[in-house]
Amino acid sequence: MSDAAQPTAAEVRAAAEAIKTALDRHLAAVERRSGEDDPAVSEAFNQLAAAAEAYDELLYDRYDEVTPFEIPGAEDTLPPYAGPEEPNAISVLIRRDYTVAEPQRLLAQAQRVEAAEYEEAGGGDDGAAGTVPGALATLFGEFEPDEIASRHKEFGLEEGDSTLWVTAADETPEAGEWLDAPFEHIDPQQVVCRFDVSAVFDDEDESDEEDDLEFVEDEDSEPLDTEK
């Protein structure tokens, strides 16, 4: 990060003060909680986690230092479910990230699709698939997202993080009701469940396995008796 983009010392100090305030609010909410799933405690928890994350980022950007805070993952920060007990409708929200690892492969696949479509229609090629945005539009218009996910390497894409949320509702929205802003106004308390995929989890699993292997080796390994 360049010096011009670095946060100021005052901004780091303000973030530290925000943590102190969030700590006080969290403790006060815990002391006053009305039950195991008190929404006030959940809200204070989320505010404290956000304040700690903001401070950690600013501290690193300004001083190249980190904190011992472990920021909870997204699964841990969801508030308790407060939706209908017997929902009549659900919404499934999916996000999948990809890196365009091989642009030429992506372009070639899209151009094949476009050529086949124009051949069937008896028209000419307008070259819409000749750019990366055009190629993406062509492929995602031709294939279902699940098929692209299973064949992403064929399309020159590399998988990143992904998440799937299932939210509950009393009624199915009217046709076209949310099309202008499909991902806004999601109430976290309506989320029934979510499933996340990330390389971060793979790294954590590999680290745990390495620790286990080292533990087994240290405990069970015995020196060979070479004396006859």
Side-chain angles (χ1 to χ4, degrees):
M1 176 178 290
S2 66
D3 292 340
Q6 284 185 344
T8 65
E11 288 175 327
V12 180
R13 174 63 60 181
E17 293 298 327
I19 288 184
K20 298 175 186 177
T21 301
L23 278 168
D24 290 338
R25 289 176 179 171
H26 182 258
L27 178 57
V30 171
E31 291 173 338
R32 296 193 305 266
R33 69 181 176 187
S34 57
E36 183 176 350
D37 296 328
D38 190 330
V41 175
S42 297
E43 182 179 358
F45 175 89
N46 293 338
Q47 291 175 349
L48 177 57
E53 184 173 11
Y55 173 68
D56 190 87
E57 291 179 356
L58 290 172
L59 186 71
Y60 181 80
D61 290 342
R62 175 70 185 183
Y63 300 111
D64 199 25
E65 290 289 345
V66 296
T67 69
F69 304 143
E70 180 179 353
I71 308 302
E75 291 183 353
D76 299 326
T77 59
L78 283 175
Y81 175 71
E85 293 185 4
E86 298 182 3
N88 296 315
I90 63 169
S91 294
V92 180
L93 296 90
I94 300 174
R95 170 172 174 167
R96 295 187 178 117
D97 287 353
Y98 297 96
T99 299
V100 181
E102 299 179 74
Q104 294 305 317
R105 181 184 292 271
L106 176 75
L107 293 169
Q109 291 282 19
Q111 288 164 1
R112 290 192 189 98
V113 170
E114 190 174 62
E117 289 178 350
Y118 277 99
E119 183 178 346
E120 292 178 2
D125 187 355
D126 65 359
T131 66
V132 170
L136 290 169
T138 298
L139 291 174
F140 278 88
E142 176 70 15
F143 301 102
E144 293 291 333
D146 287 344
E147 184 172 1
I148 290 180
S150 64
R151 299 173 56 190
H152 62 277
K153 292 183 178 179
E154 295 179 37
F155 302 126
L157 303 175
E158 182 178 312
E159 284 184 311
D161 290 353
S162 66
T163 187
L164 181 151
W165 294 32
V166 179
T167 66
D170 288 315
E171 299 179 357
T172 303
E174 296 291 335
E177 180 178 335
W178 48 257
L179 291 180
D180 289 339
F183 302 111
E184 292 184 2
H185 312 302
I186 301 302
D187 184 354
Q189 291 188 308
Q190 301 289 99
V191 177
V192 177
C193 57
R194 64 175 292 176
F195 303 95
D196 301 318
V197 176
S198 174
V200 172
F201 305 143
D202 297 337
D203 293 341
E204 291 176 354
D205 292 342
E206 289 175 3
S207 176
D208 292 341
E209 290 175 2
E210 290 175 0
D211 291 343
D212 292 342
L213 288 172
E214 291 174 2
F215 177 78
V216 170
E217 182 179 351
D218 291 341
E219 181 173 311
D220 297 341
S221 297
E222 296 181 357
L224 295 174
D225 186 359
T226 57
E227 297 181 2
K228 299 291 185 182

PDB file of all heavy atoms in Angstrom, residues 62-78:
ATOM      1  N   ARG A  62      -1.228   0.543   8.651  1.00  0.00           N
ATOM      2  CA  ARG A  62      -0.431   1.676   9.124  1.00  0.00           C
ATOM      3  C   ARG A  62       0.925   1.250   9.683  1.00  0.00           C
ATOM      4  O   ARG A  62       1.957   1.857   9.395  1.00  0.00           O
ATOM      5  CB  ARG A  62      -1.214   2.425  10.208  1.00  0.00           C
ATOM      6  CG  ARG A  62      -0.462   3.574  10.884  1.00  0.00           C
ATOM      7  CD  ARG A  62      -0.254   4.738   9.948  1.00  0.00           C
ATOM      8  NE  ARG A  62       0.576   5.780  10.562  1.00  0.00           N
ATOM      9  CZ  ARG A  62       0.872   6.932   9.980  1.00  0.00           C
ATOM     10  NH1 ARG A  62       0.387   7.194   8.785  1.00  0.00           N
ATOM     11  NH2 ARG A  62       1.654   7.808  10.583  1.00  0.00           N
ATOM     12  N   TYR A  63       0.919   0.171  10.496  1.00  0.00           N
ATOM     13  CA  TYR A  63       2.135  -0.193  11.227  1.00  0.00           C
ATOM     14  C   TYR A  63       2.685  -1.580  10.874  1.00  0.00           C
ATOM     15  O   TYR A  63       3.689  -2.001  11.455  1.00  0.00           O
ATOM     16  CB  TYR A  63       1.864  -0.144  12.735  1.00  0.00           C
ATOM     17  CG  TYR A  63       1.447   1.212  13.231  1.00  0.00           C
ATOM     18  CD1 TYR A  63       0.142   1.435  13.671  1.00  0.00           C
ATOM     19  CD2 TYR A  63       2.342   2.278  13.266  1.00  0.00           C
ATOM     20  CE1 TYR A  63      -0.251   2.685  14.137  1.00  0.00           C
ATOM     21  CE2 TYR A  63       1.961   3.526  13.736  1.00  0.00           C
ATOM     22  CZ  TYR A  63       0.662   3.725  14.166  1.00  0.00           C
ATOM     23  OH  TYR A  63       0.272   4.969  14.626  1.00  0.00           O
ATOM     24  N   ASP A  64       2.004  -2.290   9.965  1.00  0.00           N
ATOM     25  CA  ASP A  64       2.431  -3.639   9.608  1.00  0.00           C
ATOM     26  C   ASP A  64       2.454  -4.550  10.831  1.00  0.00           C
ATOM     27  O   ASP A  64       3.340  -5.382  11.000  1.00  0.00           O
ATOM     28  CB  ASP A  64       3.812  -3.607   8.928  1.00  0.00           C
ATOM     29  CG  ASP A  64       4.092  -4.885   8.137  1.00  0.00           C
ATOM     30  OD1 ASP A  64       3.121  -5.545   7.729  1.00  0.00           O
ATOM     31  OD2 ASP A  64       5.264  -5.234   7.962  1.00  0.00           O
ATOM     32  N   GLU A  65       1.459  -4.373  11.691  1.00  0.00           N
ATOM     33  CA  GLU A  65       1.312  -5.196  12.885  1.00  0.00           C
ATOM     34  C   GLU A  65      -0.074  -5.836  12.891  1.00  0.00           C
ATOM     35  O   GLU A  65      -1.001  -5.352  12.233  1.00  0.00           O
ATOM     36  CB  GLU A  65       1.474  -4.336  14.163  1.00  0.00           C
ATOM     37  CG  GLU A  65       2.888  -3.851  14.405  1.00  0.00           C
ATOM     38  CD  GLU A  65       3.829  -4.964  14.826  1.00  0.00           C
ATOM     39  OE1 GLU A  65       3.345  -6.049  15.200  1.00  0.00           O
ATOM     40  OE2 GLU A  65       5.048  -4.745  14.774  1.00  0.00           O
ATOM     41  N   VAL A  66      -0.208  -6.930  13.635  1.00  0.00           N
ATOM     42  CA  VAL A  66      -1.489  -7.622  13.724  1.00  0.00           C
ATOM     43  C   VAL A  66      -1.908  -7.749  15.180  1.00  0.00           C
ATOM     44  O   VAL A  66      -1.103  -7.525  16.092  1.00  0.00           O
ATOM     45  CB  VAL A  66      -1.410  -9.030  13.087  1.00  0.00           C
ATOM     46  CG1 VAL A  66      -1.127  -8.921  11.602  1.00  0.00           C
ATOM     47  CG2 VAL A  66      -0.338  -9.877  13.766  1.00  0.00           C
ATOM     48  N   THR A  67      -3.162  -8.136  15.387  1.00  0.00           N
ATOM     49  CA  THR A  67      -3.690  -8.323  16.739  1.00  0.00           C
ATOM     50  C   THR A  67      -3.860  -9.825  16.998  1.00  0.00           C
ATOM     51  O   THR A  67      -3.870 -10.624  16.060  1.00  0.00           O
ATOM     52  CB  THR A  67      -5.046  -7.633  16.885  1.00  0.00           C
ATOM     53  OG1 THR A  67      -6.017  -8.334  16.084  1.00  0.00           O
ATOM     54  CG2 THR A  67      -4.976  -6.175  16.453  1.00  0.00           C
ATOM     55  N   PRO A  68      -4.045 -10.209  18.252  1.00  0.00           N
ATOM     56  CA  PRO A  68      -4.311 -11.619  18.551  1.00  0.00           C
ATOM     57  C   PRO A  68      -5.784 -11.979  18.401  1.00  0.00           C
ATOM     58  O   PRO A  68      -6.179 -13.096  18.706  1.00  0.00           O
ATOM     59  CB  PRO A  68      -3.874 -11.742  20.024  1.00  0.00           C
ATOM     60  CG  PRO A  68      -4.139 -10.383  20.584  1.00  0.00           C
ATOM     61  CD  PRO A  68      -3.827  -9.416  19.484  1.00  0.00           C
ATOM     62  N   PHE A  69      -6.603 -11.028  17.931  1.00  0.00           N
ATOM     63  CA  PHE A  69      -8.028 -11.291  17.815  1.00  0.00           C
ATOM     64  C   PHE A  69      -8.294 -12.293  16.705  1.00  0.00           C
ATOM     65  O   PHE A  69      -7.725 -12.189  15.614  1.00  0.00           O
ATOM     66  CB  PHE A  69      -8.809 -10.006  17.506  1.00  0.00           C
ATOM     67  CG  PHE A  69      -8.580  -8.919  18.517  1.00  0.00           C
ATOM     68  CD1 PHE A  69      -8.520  -7.598  18.105  1.00  0.00           C
ATOM     69  CD2 PHE A  69      -8.424  -9.209  19.859  1.00  0.00           C
ATOM     70  CE1 PHE A  69      -8.306  -6.582  19.028  1.00  0.00           C
ATOM     71  CE2 PHE A  69      -8.204  -8.203  20.782  1.00  0.00           C
ATOM     72  CZ  PHE A  69      -8.146  -6.886  20.368  1.00  0.00           C
ATOM     73  N   GLU A  70      -9.163 -13.235  16.966  1.00  0.00           N
ATOM     74  CA  GLU A  70      -9.625 -14.163  15.931  1.00  0.00           C
ATOM     75  C   GLU A  70     -11.004 -13.707  15.506  1.00  0.00           C
ATOM     76  O   GLU A  70     -11.970 -13.823  16.261  1.00  0.00           O
ATOM     77  CB  GLU A  70      -9.684 -15.598  16.465  1.00  0.00           C
ATOM     78  CG  GLU A  70     -10.153 -16.596  15.416  1.00  0.00           C
ATOM     79  CD  GLU A  70     -10.182 -18.023  15.947  1.00  0.00           C
ATOM     80  OE1 GLU A  70      -9.722 -18.247  17.074  1.00  0.00           O
ATOM     81  OE2 GLU A  70     -10.689 -18.896  15.230  1.00  0.00           O
ATOM     82  N   ILE A  71     -11.105 -13.159  14.277  1.00  0.00           N
ATOM     83  CA  ILE A  71     -12.378 -12.657  13.797  1.00  0.00           C
ATOM     84  C   ILE A  71     -13.271 -13.837  13.435  1.00  0.00           C
ATOM     85  O   ILE A  71     -12.888 -14.679  12.626  1.00  0.00           O
ATOM     86  CB  ILE A  71     -12.200 -11.746  12.574  1.00  0.00           C
ATOM     87  CG1 ILE A  71     -11.168 -10.655  12.885  1.00  0.00           C
ATOM     88  CG2 ILE A  71     -13.517 -11.142  12.146  1.00  0.00           C
ATOM     89  CD1 ILE A  71     -11.517  -9.802  14.076  1.00  0.00           C
ATOM     90  N   PRO A  72     -14.468 -13.948  14.022  1.00  0.00           N
ATOM     91  CA  PRO A  72     -15.336 -15.085  13.713  1.00  0.00           C
ATOM     92  C   PRO A  72     -15.689 -15.132  12.241  1.00  0.00           C
ATOM     93  O   PRO A  72     -15.802 -14.098  11.580  1.00  0.00           O
ATOM     94  CB  PRO A  72     -16.596 -14.814  14.560  1.00  0.00           C
ATOM     95  CG  PRO A  72     -16.150 -13.853  15.615  1.00  0.00           C
ATOM     96  CD  PRO A  72     -15.065 -13.031  14.987  1.00  0.00           C
ATOM     97  N   GLY A  73     -15.861 -16.352  11.739  1.00  0.00           N
ATOM     98  CA  GLY A  73     -16.273 -16.507  10.351  1.00  0.00           C
ATOM     99  C   GLY A  73     -17.718 -16.120  10.168  1.00  0.00           C
ATOM    100  O   GLY A  73     -18.456 -15.873  11.129  1.00  0.00           O
ATOM    101  N   ALA A  74     -18.142 -16.078   8.888  1.00  0.00           N
ATOM    102  CA  ALA A  74     -19.492 -15.614   8.583  1.00  0.00           C
ATOM    103  C   ALA A  74     -20.550 -16.497   9.224  1.00  0.00           C
ATOM    104  O   ALA A  74     -21.603 -16.029   9.640  1.00  0.00           O
ATOM    105  CB  ALA A  74     -19.692 -15.575   7.065  1.00  0.00           C
ATOM    106  N   GLU A  75     -20.281 -17.816   9.330  1.00  0.00           N
ATOM    107  CA  GLU A  75     -21.258 -18.715   9.918  1.00  0.00           C
ATOM    108  C   GLU A  75     -21.509 -18.368  11.376  1.00  0.00           C
ATOM    109  O   GLU A  75     -22.610 -18.503  11.886  1.00  0.00           O
ATOM    110  CB  GLU A  75     -20.781 -20.163   9.806  1.00  0.00           C
ATOM    111  CG  GLU A  75     -20.774 -20.690   8.367  1.00  0.00           C
ATOM    112  CD  GLU A  75     -20.362 -22.138   8.300  1.00  0.00           C
ATOM    113  OE1 GLU A  75     -19.951 -22.675   9.347  1.00  0.00           O
ATOM    114  OE2 GLU A  75     -20.436 -22.726   7.223  1.00  0.00           O
ATOM    115  N   ASP A  76     -20.461 -17.903  12.081  1.00  0.00           N
ATOM    116  CA  ASP A  76     -20.586 -17.607  13.499  1.00  0.00           C
ATOM    117  C   ASP A  76     -21.254 -16.264  13.758  1.00  0.00           C
ATOM    118  O   ASP A  76     -21.713 -16.004  14.864  1.00  0.00           O
ATOM    119  CB  ASP A  76     -19.200 -17.611  14.162  1.00  0.00           C
ATOM    120  CG  ASP A  76     -18.533 -18.972  14.049  1.00  0.00           C
ATOM    121  OD1 ASP A  76     -19.258 -19.972  14.094  1.00  0.00           O
ATOM    122  OD2 ASP A  76     -17.308 -19.021  13.907  1.00  0.00           O
ATOM    123  N   THR A  77     -21.274 -15.375  12.753  1.00  0.00           N
ATOM    124  CA  THR A  77     -21.786 -14.038  12.982  1.00  0.00           C
ATOM    125  C   THR A  77     -23.248 -13.892  12.593  1.00  0.00           C
ATOM    126  O   THR A  77     -23.813 -12.825  12.768  1.00  0.00           O
ATOM    127  CB  THR A  77     -20.955 -13.010  12.191  1.00  0.00           C
ATOM    128  OG1 THR A  77     -21.010 -13.317  10.806  1.00  0.00           O
ATOM    129  CG2 THR A  77     -19.503 -13.028  12.656  1.00  0.00           C
ATOM    130  N   LEU A  78     -23.860 -14.925  12.020  1.00  0.00           N
ATOM    131  CA  LEU A  78     -25.272 -14.833  11.702  1.00  0.00           C
ATOM    132  C   LEU A  78     -26.078 -14.788  12.990  1.00  0.00           C
ATOM    133  O   LEU A  78     -25.825 -15.551  13.927  1.00  0.00           O
ATOM    134  CB  LEU A  78     -25.719 -16.038  10.874  1.00  0.00           C
ATOM    135  CG  LEU A  78     -25.352 -16.037   9.394  1.00  0.00           C
ATOM    136  CD1 LEU A  78     -25.762 -17.355   8.759  1.00  0.00           C
ATOM    137  CD2 LEU A  78     -25.995 -14.871   8.675  1.00  0.00           C
TER     138      LEU A  78
END
